[in-house]
Amino acid sequence: MAGRTITHEERRRVFALRRESNTYSQHKPGRVPPADSPNRPELARLWFAAHQLTQKRQLRTFSYCGFRFGVVYVGESLCVLDWALRKVLVKPPGSIATLGTILGNAKVFHQ
């Protein structure tokens, strides 16, 4: 049984979010970037996708753009782990309003 083919656009998005996380970690070693920076929109989208999925059911892994990611909790905070690299890519946003602006929807969390 063949798996789903990953498109060039999906691959580009995943490489962009990995690059965003690595760039942040190079400037601030040992830290994980929050999901609410306009400089890191792909990480904001990834974290929000994980947040939406965990609202529906408990999960440990999920697929995003054809790649596998994990959900980890640091204390009470939902973080997203790159399954292939075993590295935490993004932590929760400090500001929900900023996250909504990045995602283009000011009412992101009004469900």
Side-chain angles (χ1 to χ4, degrees):
M1 182 172 147
R4 183 175 82 78
T5 303
I6 299 170
T7 67
H8 178 70
E9 179 63 25
E10 290 173 329
R11 189 178 312 272
R12 187 197 63 75
R13 288 183 75 184
V14 169
F15 290 158
L17 65 87
R18 286 176 177 164
R19 185 174 48 252
E20 289 171 4
S21 182
N22 287 337
T23 300
Y24 182 90
S25 297
Q26 288 173 354
H27 290 20
K28 297 182 180 184
R31 293 196 171 175
V32 177
D36 61 352
S37 173
N39 297 332
R40 298 181 294 277
E42 294 299 333
L43 289 176
R45 289 182 191 98
L46 174 67
W47 185 86
F48 188 66
H51 174 75
Q52 285 183 315
L53 290 170
T54 58
Q55 296 301 306
K56 296 176 185 172
R57 66 183 194 282
Q58 290 184 346
L59 53 90
R60 294 185 185 176
T61 64
F62 66 99
S63 290
Y64 179 77
C65 291
F67 287 80
R68 199 76 157 144
F69 293 92
V71 174
V72 294
Y73 287 90
V74 178
E76 297 288 319
S77 302
L78 179 138
C79 298
V80 179
L81 173 88
D82 187 326
W83 198 252
L85 302 176
R86 300 289 198 255
K87 176 186 174 194
V88 176
L89 292 177
V90 63
K91 67 181 184 178
S95 168
I96 300 302
T98 305
L99 180 68
T101 302
I102 293 166
L103 298 175
N105 184 0
K107 297 181 180 181
V108 166
F109 287 90
H110 298 281
Q111 298 175 4

